[in-house]
Amino acid sequence: MKGLVIDLAERLRQQQTRDILIVVAAVLLLTLPFINKAFDWDDREFIEFAQVFEQDPLEFHLEDLGYRGEFYEEFRTTHPPVISWYLSLFLRLGIDVSEAALRLAMIIFPLIAGVSMYSLGKRFTGYPLAAALLLLVTPGFIVTSHTLMGDTPGLALWLAAVAFYIWGVDKDSWKLLLAAGLVMALAVLTAYQALSLIPLLLFYTLVKRRFRLRSFVPFLLPVLVFGVYTLYLQQKYGAWPRFSYSVGLDFGWRDPSEKIRAILAFVGGGIIFPLAVIPLVRKKIDLLLVFLLLPPLLTWAIFYYLASADLTVYQSLWLALLVTAGFFLLFRILSEPVTNIYRLVRRRGGSSDTLFLLAWFAGVAFYVGVFLPFVSARFLLPLFPAVVLFFLQEVDRIWPSSTRARTLYISATVVLTLMTGIAVAAADYRLAGSGRSAAEDISAKYGGDDGKLWVLSEFGFRYYMQQQGFEYLAVNAEASPGDLVVMSRINSDQVLAPLPEGFYDVVERIDLEDRYPVRMLNREAGAGFYAHLVGPLPFIVANDPVDEITVFRLKWEE
Amino acid sequence: MEAMRDGRGLQVSADKEARSRRRWIEPALVIAFTLALTLPFIARPFHMDDAGFLELARVRQERPLEVALEDYTFFGQENEVFIDTHPPLISSYQALVIALAGSESETALHLSFLIFPLTAALSMYFLARRFTRYNLWASLLLMASPGVVVMSHGLMSDLPGMAMWLLSIALYLRGVERKSLATMVLCAFALTTGVFISYQVLSVIPLLLVYAYLRKELSVLTILPFVLPLSSFVSYFAWHQIIAGILPRFSYGVGEPMAWYSLVQKAVNVAISFGGAVIFTGALMRVLLRTRWDFTIYATFMLPMFVSMYFQYRAGEYTAIAVILAVLFMPVGIIFIYKIYEEIINRLRTEERERLADNVFLLLWLSGVMFYVVFLLPYSSVRYLLPIFPPAIILFLFLVERYYGLADRTARIVLLPVTVTTAIFSLLVAGADYELASANERFARTDGRRLAREAGAEGGNVWFVGEFGFRYYMEQEGFVELPEDNLVPAGDIIIQSPLADPRSFSSELGDRVELVDTIPYDGTIPLRVTNFNAKAGFYGHFWGLLPFSIATGSVEDFLVYRVEEDV
């Protein structure tokens, strides 16, 4: 008997090892092909801070920086420092700033996320490998894991902290709880959103009724670390950490409704393949409520855009599909805990796990909806694991007695989600690449121009234009008539004011076409993966030009 | 023993094979029959309200959710914003077909609309199976009836509405019977589609609710199909209010639907339509008038009708043939209604309790549609009565079962001739309707063009007065509908289709116009479906109380006026 147990444990260990190797292989397969992706979005900022930290890890500002048209003698970032600290380590080792090197360095984070999700999958579902793979292949995760930004690392550490903490509480292990505290502290300095781990994990303790001192000790570490960091910034700069660029902060009545719409669409499209959620609504009462609520929801979500001509009918159909999928997920995520609360209250069994997952989902959705300036797939990333775990729990409820049906359904969902994720990641890769190649082309064409060369854009395009010798046109710039200004529409949309009318001639307008038919950040296509202010869809099949580059020549009477 | 078992086994196997064959052959027959009655009319010119739906479909090419037409003149009234009175789905479907076909092709659009008669036919086949063993005949007879044949050649919402109505009911009854969630979900989608095709389909909801109640099956499952259409309908209302600034319109607001004379006209039209537009009258009489008592009742109803019609004939209101047809149709219609009510009440009294729900359901279906046509709709028309056809036909088959018994012979000697004569007659009626539709198109493309050339040579313009298909083809030629209060310069030509709008000119214009020509367009089939003289008002009782009539000569006399100088 003892031998049998040992044999079983050994086989379980072997299976776990095999599963972990599959997760590692999956991460490598999903990231290595994109290793040369051009820098885009906030990558530039992380690189610049890494270069500062290379000299002094406690300098949390950039000097004399033009940003979003403004000029800052002392620019403090809105991101916590861990990622730039981490990248600076590689720079200290003498590694040059290159796309491949820095992206390779970042692979550690999806690996941490995959393994942590495996651990959580084991705790919350019977499908740890599926949980890890499904998270890794979601469009939101794949795309975000190809950046230098803090979102994937933040999620990875978030997951690791949750896994350590939950196993620590369940096994009453102070080592695991201590590890959770350390990882939480690291997570908070990677992405401020990780602060919400504190109420979330406290909630876990509450629903599990494990009120022991050691369950609370881990929270001291992130609080302490964040406190020290904050006090340091206060003492050095006389200011608190910056949490936002204050972009799009409009708390008018339209803004929350747009955010809710976008959250539903991003949850519906950015996580699990949209059509895979259909079986989630299967009970009579579920269908009744869906039939009751979905038409007004779709009317509200879709027709608003159609009526205001912000979206075409085709784009609205995409939005309808994604909002419906988001609604189905949200509906299950809400209804299952309600059932469980009822069961718990009536002492008829019921699991508090769904309550914890609901709190996880709702907490992230709440802070994205209320505190963050706009909705973005990367901001929503921390709620992806909750959705994946819920989804896999639901699979058991859909086919409780058919292993074959469950396996087929999960496999099909992983494959379809993977295909969507790869398609969106490829679109992202090409979009980033278009900025890099456009910068090279423009430099080749206008590099010898008599006028001074300026760039009036942010993000990746700015990075590559500056690499080509163009200067950033901020308010303090001393530009003269005859100078050339290059602007990328996608890299200036919502963040930069256009040049004042009458002070320029348009030299050239270049539509950057791409035959690859997926768009994930494109105002004409209605897609705003990185910011819903560009469009309410996380992605869409479309062939609109990926960007528009305009070359201006400045003119005025001197 | 072994041999007996073998023999029984063979018999069971043969039965199963026959059932299986029936399962495929009969629906295939229904489809073939429906196509035979519709495909020959596939190129019919646009007719009646087709034009209104197409007008919106055209707008929806650009603005897919548009509910209003801008600067639209309708029956001479100028409207800055004209709100559609129909739900949006038919025009949107047409817009999709037009986009796919690349033009407003009659053939493409009519082909795309075949889905609706086919849906109706198959739904009736499966629905009637619950009520009668002659479900095949029920389906064939429905598709062969004059009302359905004519309406299945159009692009209006009535037949699609009836199709979704039937599909919803067929699915619901099956869903209740089998307690099938999937069937109920399909029913919810069919009902929702139906409501967005024709608002009348909303009345299916209380009907089915009563059915579930009578079966003591009220539950989440049986309420489920009603939630989606109602929620969608309310959402559409809200959206319409936000977009258009007003709630959806259900009617053009013409006439006085609740005035006593209107109620009488509509009730008479309903009775006449029952006698003439559901089943071929001769065949109906053959089945209904079997005893001396039946003939006595027939004569009793015929007499006052004859007296009334005679006076109208003497007053020049009715032609002799119109009088004969009215006197023929109305008593048959009344007897038909009487007999089916008698039959259903008899069944309610005698049949076992579990059939109660089915019988009450048919009774309510029939009575409900009659009620809203007579009391709620602005005018009566065969197309509005379409939802009554299926229960009327099922109940007719109840009568056949009672009179002739359940035998294959009954089908051969009664149902086959009834269906064949009804189908042949319906094809003639549809042919007559086709001729009128065709006359509008031919006029616009020949005489219309000629008159435009002549007027143009003298520096004048051509206006037209008329709606429907006439308007469509006149607009295709570039002519403009004459608004009621428009001041038309001297030398201009005004062409009027009296059937498409019989209005007289405004007092200012009336003194200045001179009728210069009347251009008749003849028909070969001596039947009329829309004709003031023949009193044929298939599309609305204001043309005449008969659904169709017998007449020869022109199907339409187009009037040509010249506008003179103001004296």
Side-chain angles (χ1 to χ4, degrees), chain A residues 189-238:
Chain A
L189 289 190
T190 303
Y192 293 130
Q193 285 95 312
L195 279 169
S196 49
L197 276 170
I198 297 171
L200 176 66
L201 295 177
L202 275 172
F203 182 72
Y204 183 79
T205 314
L206 181 77
V207 292
K208 291 290 167 189
R209 301 178 186 210
R210 300 283 175 90
F211 303 115
R212 294 183 184 169
L213 185 61
R214 66 171 65 166
S215 301
F216 298 103
V217 169
F219 302 117
L220 292 176
L221 280 166
V223 170
L224 199 68
V225 167
F226 185 69
V228 168
Y229 174 67
T230 305
L231 286 173
Y232 179 78
L233 290 183
Q234 180 64 237
Q235 181 264 327
K236 188 171 171 67
Y237 298 105

Side-chain angles (χ1 to χ4, degrees), chain B residues 46 74 102 186 188 203-204 220 228 243 257 328 364 383 502 517 533 537:
Chain B
F46 298 131
F74 188 63
L186 284 176
S203 46
V204 175
V220 172
L228 185 65
I243 299 297
L328 193 70
L364 285 178
R383 63 197 178 108
D517 199 2
N533 293 332

Side-chain angles (χ1 to χ4, degrees), chain A residues 154-442:
Chain A
L155 173 72
L157 296 172
W158 174 304
L159 279 171
V162 173
F164 279 131
Y165 188 83
I166 283 175
W167 284 112
V169 169
D170 289 358
K171 293 187 172 179
D172 203 11
S173 158
W174 68 267
K175 285 181 189 167
L176 290 173
L177 289 169
L178 184 65
L182 287 169
V183 177
M184 248 191 282
L186 205 57
V188 167
L189 289 190
T190 303
Y192 293 130
Q193 285 95 312
L195 279 169
S196 49
L197 276 170
I198 297 171
L200 176 66
L201 295 177
L202 275 172
F203 182 72
Y204 183 79
T205 314
L206 181 77
V207 292
K208 291 290 167 189
R209 301 178 186 210
R210 300 283 175 90
F211 303 115
R212 294 183 184 169
L213 185 61
R214 66 171 65 166
S215 301
F216 298 103
V217 169
F219 302 117
L220 292 176
L221 280 166
V223 170
L224 199 68
V225 167
F226 185 69
V228 168
Y229 174 67
T230 305
L231 286 173
Y232 179 78
L233 290 183
Q234 180 64 237
Q235 181 264 327
K236 188 171 171 67
Y237 298 105
W240 302 108
R242 288 179 71 193
F243 291 104
S244 160
Y245 298 120
S246 303
V247 180
L249 269 180
D250 169 16
F251 290 104
W253 70 271
R254 250 184 72 175
D255 191 55
S257 67
E258 277 184 12
K259 279 184 175 176
I260 295 167
R261 266 190 286 258
I263 288 174
L264 278 171
F266 280 54
V267 167
I271 310 177
I272 292 162
F273 182 70
L275 298 179
V277 305
I278 291 172
L280 296 187
V281 176
R282 65 198 180 281
K283 291 180 196 161
K284 282 175 275 182
I285 190 73
D286 293 349
L287 277 163
L288 190 109
L289 288 169
V290 165
F291 282 174
L292 184 70
L293 300 173
L294 197 56
L297 176 76
L298 285 181
T299 306
W300 170 73
I302 313 307
F303 290 137
Y304 165 76
Y305 286 106
L306 276 171
S308 56
D310 284 349
L311 293 184
T312 64
V313 172
Y314 166 68
Q315 291 160 1
S316 299
L317 289 175
W318 269 91
L319 187 61
L321 171 73
L322 301 188
V323 166
T324 304
F327 173 72
F328 274 32
L329 279 169
L330 185 67
F331 180 79
R332 286 309 313 158
I333 287 170
L334 284 171
S335 64
E336 200 53 45
V338 168
T339 314
N340 274 305
I341 290 171
Y342 176 76
R343 286 190 191 137
L344 286 168
V345 170
R346 302 293 294 262
R347 294 173 193 273
R348 290 183 189 168
S351 161
S352 54
D353 285 354
T354 53
L355 289 178
F356 171 69
L357 293 178
L358 171 64
W360 185 343
F361 178 91
V364 178
F366 175 77
Y367 78 64
V368 171
V370 175
F371 296 125
L372 296 188
F374 52 84
V375 176
S376 154
R378 64 195 182 101
F379 292 163
L380 288 169
L381 214 49
L383 62 72
F384 281 33
V387 172
V388 168
L389 294 172
F390 247 120
F391 177 79
L392 291 171
Q393 284 185 344
E394 276 299 302
V395 175
D396 271 341
R397 294 183 198 114
I398 299 171
W399 292 287
S401 55
S402 172
T403 314
R404 191 181 152 78
R406 290 197 301 264
T407 311
L408 259 173
Y409 179 53
I410 293 173
S411 308
T413 305
V414 171
V415 170
L416 290 168
T417 308
L418 169 70
M419 286 162 67
T420 315
I422 293 286
V424 180
D428 182 52
Y429 183 88
R430 296 172 76 93
L431 177 62
S434 73
R436 180 169 54 191
S437 53
E440 287 164 4
D441 293 347
I442 286 164

Side-chain angles (χ1 to χ4, degrees), chain B residues 427-435 522-528 549 551-553 555:
Chain B
L427 286 172
L428 286 171
V429 175
D433 194 43
Y434 194 114
E435 285 188 337
D522 289 337
T524 51
I525 299 170
L527 285 170
R528 298 291 175 266
S549 183
T552 53
V555 292

